[in-house]
Amino acid sequence: MEWINLIIGFFVANALGYGGGPASIPLMYREIVTNHAWTTPVEFSNILALGNALPGPIATKIAAFVGYDVGGWIGLIAALTATIVPSAIALILLLKVLQKHRQSPVVKGMTLLVQPVIAIMMLLLTWQMAESSVESIGIIQSLIIAAVAFWAMQFRKIHPAIVIVIAFAYGGLVIPHLNVL
């Protein structure tokens, strides 16, 4: 019966997640980690990092991973369906409305007002992920990894997916050995 919770959790997160991935990630975090405890904050960070390194929408990759982990193939199908259906329905309905009222100042204003809310949600998610990183590997190593990632993307112009894969490999190969010492 856990697949029913998967449907409800992912449906809620994705029905309220305006704008796709960036908006739905904090909502998915709340459903996956806080409400249902399907993963830990550290595991969610790893799922998010791996999902960002792979092509395609992030919400469907998170849903597929968590759904399979919680309920096998039935859980995967339930979580993916609950992730895709709200977006598909909203897209069809909103496109009809927007086509009709695309020049309306109300529609333009609504779109502009949602952006700060998404920014705040992303900031809170970043804070939560930083806290879990500091808890698991310490503040010094977290800051060094963040600084190196920033330098690689900003100054060396290395694609973010490559930086994520390198950080993922570092976390899997080096960090377990450091924690043993």
Side-chain angles (χ1 to χ4, degrees):
M1 293 303 266
E2 193 68 24
W3 61 272
I4 293 174
N5 288 332
L6 284 167
I7 290 172
I8 294 168
F10 281 97
F11 184 84
V12 167
N14 288 287
L16 299 175
Y18 173 84
S24 61
I25 290 171
L27 298 170
M28 291 174 90
Y29 178 91
R30 185 163 194 86
E31 289 295 323
I32 294 167
V33 177
T34 308
N35 292 349
H36 297 285
W38 289 321
T39 67
T40 65
V42 173
E43 289 171 340
F44 185 84
S45 298
N46 290 337
I47 294 167
L48 185 61
L50 183 60
N52 274 324
L54 299 171
I58 188 67
T60 56
K61 291 179 280 191
I62 292 173
F65 184 88
V66 173
Y68 185 79
D69 194 42
V70 170
W73 287 103
I74 293 173
L76 181 140
I77 292 167
L80 273 178
T81 302
T83 299
I84 294 168
V85 168
S87 299
I89 292 171
L91 182 65
I92 292 167
L93 295 175
L94 285 174
L95 281 176
K96 289 184 179 188
V97 171
L98 288 175
Q99 207 49 355
K100 196 175 201 179
H101 303 288
R102 68 176 162 224
Q103 298 302 325
S104 167
V106 173
V107 171
K108 290 179 183 177
M110 285 172 39
T111 304
L112 289 174
L113 289 175
V114 170
Q115 291 173 351
V117 173
I118 293 171
I120 296 295
M121 290 171 58
M122 290 301 292
L123 182 63
L124 290 173
L125 178 64
T126 302
W127 182 262
Q128 290 170 340
M129 291 177 72
E131 281 181 332
S132 69
S133 175
V134 168
E135 286 175 14
S136 63
I137 63 173
I139 190 152
I140 294 173
Q141 195 164 15
S142 295
L143 290 173
I144 290 171
I145 292 170
V148 169
F150 177 78
W151 172 81
M153 290 184 292
Q154 194 66 29
F155 298 110
R156 299 293 296 167
K157 304 296 184 207
I158 297 173
H159 193 277
I162 295 170
V163 174
I164 290 170
V165 168
I166 292 169
F168 195 70
Y170 174 78
L173 298 173
V174 177
I175 290 177
H177 299 295
L178 293 176
N179 290 338
V180 172
L181 301 176

